[in-house]
Amino acid sequence: MAKIKPWPAAGLLSPAGSSSDDNDECCQSSQGAVEQQQQAAAAEYTVWMKSLVFNGNGCTVYGADGRVAYRVDNYGCRGGREVFFMDRAGSNLIRIQRKSFFMFRRWEACRCFDDGEGEEARPWFRVHKTWKQDDGCAAVVTMHGSGRTYRIEGCARKSDYRILSADDGAIMAAVGRKRTSAGVVLGEDVLALTVGSATDHLLALGLVVVCGLMSRRL
């Protein structure tokens, strides 16, 4: 089982508007109302594809302030069947599960909410690989309810891919090799995730984790 534990930072992650339909599906609780008020600007995260746990499989996400913002600690084998995103209090935010087998694998994510009377998991999005990549599309993301779709283009194994809107081709987020301020390109396990101002940061981070699971880097 893998867990992501965030560092508290006001307004860092909020569903800032992939679409009103998507927000209606996953933000109908008091927790969702608070998140909607925290409008996120464009941001860049540093993703180190290593776990802070000795002999663990996972990754560590750093915010612009250089501190750990999120962490994936996978105590099982790479490409595990289930991954959890958790807040500081230990409450689940997202649950990602691998479904099916072999060439028909897909990954399904649920948003988790706790209203004080128990946790509720609501379907949020699913990802499936595309095997014919003539157009550069490696995977397709479908949001639950609204049916809105996104494309993941590029190669996660080579640390270079983008998340685009399937409707107009707008780039929602991009992942590439991390460069220092002096222009030095770091190793393939140190990535820079750039998230657009109109993108749900939590969705972008969740998709990066799915890409890591697909390529068995987590």
PDB file of all heavy atoms in Angstrom, residues 40-56:
ATOM      1  N   ALA A  40      -6.011  28.223  -6.746  1.00  0.00           N
ATOM      2  CA  ALA A  40      -4.581  27.969  -6.926  1.00  0.00           C
ATOM      3  C   ALA A  40      -4.066  28.675  -8.168  1.00  0.00           C
ATOM      4  O   ALA A  40      -4.721  28.704  -9.199  1.00  0.00           O
ATOM      5  CB  ALA A  40      -4.331  26.467  -7.038  1.00  0.00           C
ATOM      6  N   ALA A  41      -2.885  29.232  -8.051  1.00  0.00           N
ATOM      7  CA  ALA A  41      -2.216  29.835  -9.196  1.00  0.00           C
ATOM      8  C   ALA A  41      -1.327  28.783  -9.852  1.00  0.00           C
ATOM      9  O   ALA A  41      -1.204  27.668  -9.374  1.00  0.00           O
ATOM     10  CB  ALA A  41      -1.386  31.030  -8.738  1.00  0.00           C
ATOM     11  N   ALA A  42      -0.719  29.153 -10.980  1.00  0.00           N
ATOM     12  CA  ALA A  42       0.232  28.247 -11.622  1.00  0.00           C
ATOM     13  C   ALA A  42       1.360  27.948 -10.639  1.00  0.00           C
ATOM     14  O   ALA A  42       1.776  28.807  -9.862  1.00  0.00           O
ATOM     15  CB  ALA A  42       0.778  28.887 -12.887  1.00  0.00           C
ATOM     16  N   ALA A  43       1.853  26.731 -10.660  1.00  0.00           N
ATOM     17  CA  ALA A  43       2.873  26.334  -9.696  1.00  0.00           C
ATOM     18  C   ALA A  43       3.782  25.287 -10.308  1.00  0.00           C
ATOM     19  O   ALA A  43       3.431  24.627 -11.286  1.00  0.00           O
ATOM     20  CB  ALA A  43       2.226  25.792  -8.425  1.00  0.00           C
ATOM     21  N   GLU A  44       4.972  25.164  -9.723  1.00  0.00           N
ATOM     22  CA  GLU A  44       5.911  24.128 -10.143  1.00  0.00           C
ATOM     23  C   GLU A  44       6.320  23.310  -8.922  1.00  0.00           C
ATOM     24  O   GLU A  44       6.620  23.853  -7.863  1.00  0.00           O
ATOM     25  CB  GLU A  44       7.145  24.718 -10.813  1.00  0.00           C
ATOM     26  CG  GLU A  44       8.139  23.653 -11.268  1.00  0.00           C
ATOM     27  CD  GLU A  44       9.284  24.211 -12.097  1.00  0.00           C
ATOM     28  OE1 GLU A  44       9.016  24.910 -13.088  1.00  0.00           O
ATOM     29  OE2 GLU A  44      10.443  23.953 -11.725  1.00  0.00           O
ATOM     30  N   TYR A  45       6.313  22.005  -9.097  1.00  0.00           N
ATOM     31  CA  TYR A  45       6.733  21.078  -8.056  1.00  0.00           C
ATOM     32  C   TYR A  45       7.963  20.319  -8.540  1.00  0.00           C
ATOM     33  O   TYR A  45       8.117  20.067  -9.734  1.00  0.00           O
ATOM     34  CB  TYR A  45       5.629  20.063  -7.739  1.00  0.00           C
ATOM     35  CG  TYR A  45       4.329  20.673  -7.279  1.00  0.00           C
ATOM     36  CD1 TYR A  45       3.341  21.014  -8.196  1.00  0.00           C
ATOM     37  CD2 TYR A  45       4.084  20.898  -5.928  1.00  0.00           C
ATOM     38  CE1 TYR A  45       2.141  21.564  -7.777  1.00  0.00           C
ATOM     39  CE2 TYR A  45       2.889  21.450  -5.501  1.00  0.00           C
ATOM     40  CZ  TYR A  45       1.924  21.784  -6.440  1.00  0.00           C
ATOM     41  OH  TYR A  45       0.738  22.334  -6.021  1.00  0.00           O
ATOM     42  N   THR A  46       8.821  19.967  -7.605  1.00  0.00           N
ATOM     43  CA  THR A  46       9.942  19.082  -7.900  1.00  0.00           C
ATOM     44  C   THR A  46       9.570  17.689  -7.418  1.00  0.00           C
ATOM     45  O   THR A  46       9.219  17.506  -6.247  1.00  0.00           O
ATOM     46  CB  THR A  46      11.221  19.553  -7.198  1.00  0.00           C
ATOM     47  OG1 THR A  46      11.572  20.851  -7.675  1.00  0.00           O
ATOM     48  CG2 THR A  46      12.375  18.592  -7.479  1.00  0.00           C
ATOM     49  N   VAL A  47       9.620  16.732  -8.325  1.00  0.00           N
ATOM     50  CA  VAL A  47       9.234  15.357  -8.006  1.00  0.00           C
ATOM     51  C   VAL A  47      10.480  14.485  -8.067  1.00  0.00           C
ATOM     52  O   VAL A  47      11.080  14.313  -9.131  1.00  0.00           O
ATOM     53  CB  VAL A  47       8.167  14.829  -8.982  1.00  0.00           C
ATOM     54  CG1 VAL A  47       7.729  13.418  -8.580  1.00  0.00           C
ATOM     55  CG2 VAL A  47       6.970  15.769  -9.029  1.00  0.00           C
ATOM     56  N   TRP A  48      10.876  13.964  -6.932  1.00  0.00           N
ATOM     57  CA  TRP A  48      12.005  13.042  -6.858  1.00  0.00           C
ATOM     58  C   TRP A  48      11.442  11.629  -6.824  1.00  0.00           C
ATOM     59  O   TRP A  48      10.720  11.273  -5.906  1.00  0.00           O
ATOM     60  CB  TRP A  48      12.841  13.326  -5.605  1.00  0.00           C
ATOM     61  CG  TRP A  48      14.079  12.496  -5.486  1.00  0.00           C
ATOM     62  CD1 TRP A  48      14.909  12.115  -6.494  1.00  0.00           C
ATOM     63  CD2 TRP A  48      14.645  11.967  -4.278  1.00  0.00           C
ATOM     64  NE1 TRP A  48      15.957  11.370  -5.999  1.00  0.00           N
ATOM     65  CE2 TRP A  48      15.818  11.257  -4.647  1.00  0.00           C
ATOM     66  CE3 TRP A  48      14.275  12.017  -2.940  1.00  0.00           C
ATOM     67  CZ2 TRP A  48      16.609  10.615  -3.708  1.00  0.00           C
ATOM     68  CZ3 TRP A  48      15.059  11.376  -2.006  1.00  0.00           C
ATOM     69  CH2 TRP A  48      16.223  10.684  -2.395  1.00  0.00           C
ATOM     70  N   MET A  49      11.749  10.843  -7.842  1.00  0.00           N
ATOM     71  CA  MET A  49      11.159   9.516  -7.971  1.00  0.00           C
ATOM     72  C   MET A  49      11.845   8.509  -7.052  1.00  0.00           C
ATOM     73  O   MET A  49      12.237   7.411  -7.460  1.00  0.00           O
ATOM     74  CB  MET A  49      11.225   9.051  -9.425  1.00  0.00           C
ATOM     75  CG  MET A  49      10.514   9.971 -10.396  1.00  0.00           C
ATOM     76  SD  MET A  49       8.740  10.140 -10.035  1.00  0.00           S
ATOM     77  CE  MET A  49       8.151   8.518 -10.494  1.00  0.00           C
ATOM     78  N   LYS A  50      12.001   8.906  -5.814  1.00  0.00           N
ATOM     79  CA  LYS A  50      12.562   8.052  -4.777  1.00  0.00           C
ATOM     80  C   LYS A  50      11.740   8.233  -3.512  1.00  0.00           C
ATOM     81  O   LYS A  50      11.220   9.305  -3.235  1.00  0.00           O
ATOM     82  CB  LYS A  50      14.027   8.412  -4.479  1.00  0.00           C
ATOM     83  CG  LYS A  50      14.977   8.228  -5.654  1.00  0.00           C
ATOM     84  CD  LYS A  50      15.216   6.759  -5.967  1.00  0.00           C
ATOM     85  CE  LYS A  50      16.263   6.600  -7.056  1.00  0.00           C
ATOM     86  NZ  LYS A  50      16.493   5.171  -7.398  1.00  0.00           N
ATOM     87  N   SER A  51      11.639   7.165  -2.749  1.00  0.00           N
ATOM     88  CA  SER A  51      10.943   7.233  -1.472  1.00  0.00           C
ATOM     89  C   SER A  51      11.909   7.640  -0.369  1.00  0.00           C
ATOM     90  O   SER A  51      13.098   7.322  -0.410  1.00  0.00           O
ATOM     91  CB  SER A  51      10.319   5.867  -1.153  1.00  0.00           C
ATOM     92  OG  SER A  51       9.794   5.860   0.159  1.00  0.00           O
ATOM     93  N   LEU A  52      11.382   8.355   0.620  1.00  0.00           N
ATOM     94  CA  LEU A  52      12.190   8.699   1.785  1.00  0.00           C
ATOM     95  C   LEU A  52      12.321   7.519   2.745  1.00  0.00           C
ATOM     96  O   LEU A  52      13.083   7.569   3.700  1.00  0.00           O
ATOM     97  CB  LEU A  52      11.557   9.892   2.520  1.00  0.00           C
ATOM     98  CG  LEU A  52      11.546  11.220   1.754  1.00  0.00           C
ATOM     99  CD1 LEU A  52      10.850  12.288   2.580  1.00  0.00           C
ATOM    100  CD2 LEU A  52      12.953  11.658   1.398  1.00  0.00           C
ATOM    101  N   VAL A  53      11.570   6.463   2.486  1.00  0.00           N
ATOM    102  CA  VAL A  53      11.623   5.262   3.310  1.00  0.00           C
ATOM    103  C   VAL A  53      12.688   4.323   2.763  1.00  0.00           C
ATOM    104  O   VAL A  53      12.723   4.041   1.559  1.00  0.00           O
ATOM    105  CB  VAL A  53      10.257   4.548   3.339  1.00  0.00           C
ATOM    106  CG1 VAL A  53      10.330   3.251   4.129  1.00  0.00           C
ATOM    107  CG2 VAL A  53       9.195   5.467   3.924  1.00  0.00           C
ATOM    108  N   PHE A  54      13.554   3.847   3.626  1.00  0.00           N
ATOM    109  CA  PHE A  54      14.633   2.955   3.202  1.00  0.00           C
ATOM    110  C   PHE A  54      14.055   1.702   2.554  1.00  0.00           C
ATOM    111  O   PHE A  54      13.167   1.054   3.095  1.00  0.00           O
ATOM    112  CB  PHE A  54      15.502   2.579   4.400  1.00  0.00           C
ATOM    113  CG  PHE A  54      16.676   1.698   4.062  1.00  0.00           C
ATOM    114  CD1 PHE A  54      17.737   2.193   3.330  1.00  0.00           C
ATOM    115  CD2 PHE A  54      16.695   0.370   4.461  1.00  0.00           C
ATOM    116  CE1 PHE A  54      18.819   1.386   3.012  1.00  0.00           C
ATOM    117  CE2 PHE A  54      17.761  -0.446   4.144  1.00  0.00           C
ATOM    118  CZ  PHE A  54      18.829   0.064   3.415  1.00  0.00           C
ATOM    119  N   ASN A  55      14.550   1.379   1.368  1.00  0.00           N
ATOM    120  CA  ASN A  55      14.112   0.209   0.605  1.00  0.00           C
ATOM    121  C   ASN A  55      12.642   0.288   0.187  1.00  0.00           C
ATOM    122  O   ASN A  55      12.042  -0.722  -0.161  1.00  0.00           O
ATOM    123  CB  ASN A  55      14.329  -1.089   1.384  1.00  0.00           C
ATOM    124  CG  ASN A  55      15.799  -1.498   1.401  1.00  0.00           C
ATOM    125  OD1 ASN A  55      16.574  -1.125   0.525  1.00  0.00           O
ATOM    126  ND2 ASN A  55      16.186  -2.268   2.417  1.00  0.00           N
ATOM    127  N   GLY A  56      12.066   1.486   0.194  1.00  0.00           N
ATOM    128  CA  GLY A  56      10.680   1.646  -0.240  1.00  0.00           C
ATOM    129  C   GLY A  56      10.616   2.099  -1.698  1.00  0.00           C
ATOM    130  O   GLY A  56      11.590   2.601  -2.262  1.00  0.00           O
TER     131      GLY A  56
END
